Amino acid sequence: MRASSAMLFKINTIKMKFARTIFAGLLVLLCQQINAQDHSKQHTESWTSARPDGHAPISVMGDHYHHKGEFMVSYRFMFMNMEGLYRGDAAISNLQGHQAGYMVTPLKMPMNMHMLGVMYAPTDKITLMAMFNYLQNDMDLQMRMPTGMTRTFSTASSGLSDVKLGFLYKLLNRNKQSLHALVNLSIPTGSLEAKAATPMSGGKQLQLPYPMQLGSGTYDADLGLTYLGQATHYSWGTQLKGTYRFGTNTYGYRMGNAYQLNSWFAVKTTPWLSVSARVEGQVTTGIIGRNANLNPMMVTTADVANSGRKLVNTALGFNLYAFKGNLKNLRLGAEYVYPVYQFVTGVQLKQKESFVIGLQYSL
Ligand SMILES: [Cu+2]
C-alpha cells in the first residue's frame, strides 16, 4: 500500500514537472513569436485598450493594464445559481442524496455578488488593483425525516468577502499582441461566522456550512498570465490563472485551490460595440481539514467529502464603449455564462447559468 502510494506520488510529481516544462516552453515560444513578428514589420503597432473589445468579456478579471497615470473604477454585478443535485457528472434526486447518508440536502443556492474594483497605473509597466466584493447567499434545503416526510427551509448570509490587492505587470506589447502577469493577494476579511437557525437547531443560531461562508479565512494568492491579440475587426485573448491558499483558517480548514483557463474571441462590429464568445475551464480542489462545529452527516454541504469540482463554461457577451463625447472611456459590458460540462466530487449542487453586468470608467 505504502509503496504504491509513494509510486503514485512520484508519478504525480513527474506529471507536474512535465506540465511545468511544457508551460515554460510555450511561454518562451510565444515571446519569441511576438518578437519575431516585430522584426518582420516596418511599422509596429501596440495592442490598445481604446476600443470596445480592448477589454475582455466582463467576467474576466485582470485582463487589461493601464498607461502611466491612468485610473479606473469598475462595478460589476453577478447573479449565479446552483440548483439540483449532482454526483460525479450525473444528476441525482434529493432522495438519493438523503440515501447517501445525509439528513438534509440542498435544493438550490442563488447568489448575488457586487464587485467594486479600482485600478491605477503608477508606471507603464505596473497597474495596481484592489477589489472589494459583497456577497448575498441564499440556500433552500430539504430535511427528510426517517418516516419519509420532508420539510423545506432556507438559510441566508451576506456581507463583505475577502479583499484582493494586487498588480499587473506588462511583459510585452507589440504587433497588436500583449502579454502580462497578474499577482493578487487575498486578505481574509470575509466572515466565517455566518449563522442561521434551522429546524434541527431548536431555534439556536448555528454556524452555516462551507459554501455559505463569506471568505476563505486564509491568505490566498492569485497568479495569472494573460495573452491578448488584436486585428482590425476582431480580437482574442487567453488567461491562465491559479488561486493558491496557504495554511488553515481559525476553524481548522482550508478551501480548495482554483485553476482557470479562459479563452475568448470578440468581433468589433462598430467603434462602440463588440460581441464576444468565451470558453472557460475551471478546476477547484477539495477542502483540506474540516470545521469541527459542522456535523458532516447533517447536510451534504457540511461534509468536506462533497467539495471540489471541474467545470467547463461557455459565455456570450457584449461590450459597449464610449469612444468620444462627454462619457468618453465609459464602458458597459454584459455576459451570459452557461456551463456545458461539470464533474463534482461527492454530492453537490449543480452549477446553473450566471449573468454578469458591469460598468468601467477610466480617466
Ligand atoms: Cu482597468
Side-chain angles (χ1 to χ4, degrees), residues 55 64 66 72 119:
H55 286 193
H64 66 274
H66 287 269
M72 188 186 96
M119 294 172 99

Tab-separated table of all heavy atoms in Angstrom, residues 55 64 66 72 119, ligand 1:
chain	number	residue	atom	x	y	z
A	55	HIS	N	-11.212	45.628	-23.774
A	55	HIS	CA	-11.343	44.915	-22.512
A	55	HIS	C	-11.951	43.560	-22.820
A	55	HIS	O	-12.774	43.433	-23.736
A	55	HIS	CB	-12.251	45.671	-21.537
A	55	HIS	CG	-11.596	46.877	-20.941
A	55	HIS	ND1	-12.123	47.544	-19.856
A	55	HIS	CD2	-10.462	47.529	-21.279
A	55	HIS	CE1	-11.337	48.575	-19.562
A	55	HIS	NE2	-10.328	48.589	-20.413
A	64	HIS	N	-6.682	43.477	-18.524
A	64	HIS	CA	-6.001	44.591	-19.205
A	64	HIS	C	-5.249	45.441	-18.179
A	64	HIS	O	-5.608	45.470	-17.005
A	64	HIS	CB	-7.026	45.488	-19.912
A	64	HIS	CG	-7.923	46.183	-18.935
A	64	HIS	ND1	-9.064	45.607	-18.443
A	64	HIS	CD2	-7.818	47.379	-18.304
A	64	HIS	CE1	-9.621	46.427	-17.573
A	64	HIS	NE2	-8.887	47.509	-17.457
A	66	HIS	N	-3.086	49.423	-17.624
A	66	HIS	CA	-3.280	50.821	-17.999
A	66	HIS	C	-1.970	51.523	-18.310
A	66	HIS	O	-0.907	51.043	-17.933
A	66	HIS	CB	-4.025	51.558	-16.876
A	66	HIS	CG	-5.468	51.174	-16.805
A	66	HIS	ND1	-6.447	51.850	-17.482
A	66	HIS	CD2	-6.094	50.162	-16.166
A	66	HIS	CE1	-7.619	51.281	-17.251
A	66	HIS	NE2	-7.430	50.249	-16.455
A	72	MET	N	-8.852	53.741	-12.988
A	72	MET	CA	-10.128	53.163	-13.420
A	72	MET	C	-10.936	52.665	-12.234
A	72	MET	O	-10.378	52.092	-11.301
A	72	MET	CB	-9.895	52.000	-14.396
A	72	MET	CG	-11.179	51.481	-15.022
A	72	MET	SD	-10.954	49.998	-16.046
A	72	MET	CE	-11.373	48.729	-14.879
A	119	MET	N	-8.342	50.471	-10.280
A	119	MET	CA	-7.047	50.217	-10.915
A	119	MET	C	-6.307	51.544	-11.036
A	119	MET	O	-6.921	52.576	-11.300
A	119	MET	CB	-7.237	49.634	-12.322
A	119	MET	CG	-7.865	48.255	-12.348
A	119	MET	SD	-8.261	47.759	-14.033
A	119	MET	CE	-6.879	46.716	-14.429
B	1	CU	CU	-8.793	48.878	-15.927
